[in-house]
């Protein structure tokens, strides 16, 4: 019996794509890349890719999608990216037994590694967070109930830098 699948997309800075990631994608996801001719392999055009898979580079991010990802995840790739300290976002669509979720990993001390729910209630909570944030940090720190609400929201919907920050960082260093 095969594992349940659902659509998933993972994004990470394309400038982090290296031979180790290439080999992992070839081995775990049965993708064949064109042979590398010169320099580092940033070309990710493939010879063979299953119909459910797409690979692209958008705004400096490598975007890998699979309409039939096992458990709506890229377990091996995600584990490898965490080990290497490469930031990523993975969005999984809803399956009959799993709600939609976004996994966010950002390296740091401590690293941020969180699953953020993407169900219909998420939008309301995010709007509440924006409205409380609009009153300002001073008011939040002076009104205990606002601080408590923000702390609770931050546990489930943390504030984190966008992946494009790593694209810019890597491009300028």
């Amino acid at each position: 019996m095969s594992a349940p699948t659902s659509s998933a997309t993972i994004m990470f800075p394309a400038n982090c794509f290296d031979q180790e990631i290439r080999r992992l994608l070839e081995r775990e996801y049965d993708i064949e890349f064109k042979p590398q001719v010169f320099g580092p392999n940033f070309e990710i055009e493939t010879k063979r890719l299953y119909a459910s898979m797409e690979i692209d580079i958008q705004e400096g991010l490598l975007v890998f999608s699979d309409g039939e990802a096992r458990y709506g995840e890229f377990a091996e790739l995600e584990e490898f990216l965490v080990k290497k300290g490469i930031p990523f976002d993975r969005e999984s669509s809803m399956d009959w037994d799993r709600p939609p979720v976004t996994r966010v990993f950002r390296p740091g001390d401590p690293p941020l590694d969180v699953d953020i729910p993407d169900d219909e209630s998420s939008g309301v909570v995010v709007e509440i967070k924006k409205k409380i944030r609009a009153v300002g940090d001073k008011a939040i720190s002076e009104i205990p109930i606002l601080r408590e609400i923000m702390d609770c929201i931050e546990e489930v919907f943390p504030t984190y830098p966008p992946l494009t920050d790593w694209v810019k960082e890597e491009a300028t260093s």
Side-chain angles (χ1 to χ4, degrees):
M1 182 171 180
S2 65
T5 63
S6 62
S7 179
T9 299
I10 190 166
M11 297 165 275
F12 61 91
N15 52 7
C16 296
F17 184 77
D18 61 15
Q19 289 301 315
E20 290 178 296
I21 294 171
R22 175 189 169 130
R23 283 191 296 274
L24 184 141
L25 290 172
E26 289 173 337
R27 182 182 69 247
E28 296 296 329
Y29 304 100
D30 202 26
I31 296 171
E32 284 187 45
F33 290 91
K34 286 187 176 179
Q36 179 178 336
V37 180
F38 299 105
N41 182 11
F42 294 110
E43 182 180 351
I44 54 173
E45 187 175 336
T46 61
K47 290 185 200 174
R48 188 184 85 227
L49 199 60
Y50 290 110
S52 67
M53 295 179 183
E54 292 181 18
I55 295 179
D56 196 9
I57 294 181
Q58 300 171 3
E59 298 179 21
L61 298 174
L62 186 143
V63 180
F64 176 44
S65 300
D66 186 351
E68 298 175 9
R70 184 181 184 130
Y71 298 107
E73 302 174 353
F74 302 99
E76 297 83 3
L77 178 58
E78 291 174 41
E79 181 181 323
F80 189 75
L81 294 174
V82 168
K83 184 175 123 190
K84 287 189 77 158
I86 297 173
F88 68 87
D89 292 352
R90 187 247 309 137
E91 299 168 355
S92 300
S93 65
M94 186 170 83
D95 189 23
W96 68 275
D97 64 343
R98 286 185 315 279
V101 66
T102 297
R103 179 179 182 193
V104 175
F105 173 74
R106 299 293 184 271
D109 190 22
L112 173 71
D113 193 353
V114 64
D115 287 335
I116 301 171
D118 288 340
D119 58 11
E120 38 306 316
S121 65
S122 302
V124 174
V125 177
V126 171
E127 281 304 309
I128 291 169
K129 180 179 176 180
K130 286 180 190 174
K131 290 184 187 307
I132 293 173
R133 187 66 64 208
V135 301
D137 290 336
K138 185 175 185 222
I140 293 170
S141 65
E142 291 175 356
I143 304 170
I145 190 69
L146 289 182
R147 181 74 257 150
E148 287 177 40
I149 293 170
M150 283 302 288
D151 288 346
C152 289
I153 292 173
E154 279 291 323
E155 283 183 35
V156 180
F157 299 95
T159 302
Y160 56 89
L163 280 174
T164 52
D165 285 4
W166 274 265
V167 172
K168 294 173 195 168
E169 220 175 80
E170 293 292 324
T172 59
S173 45

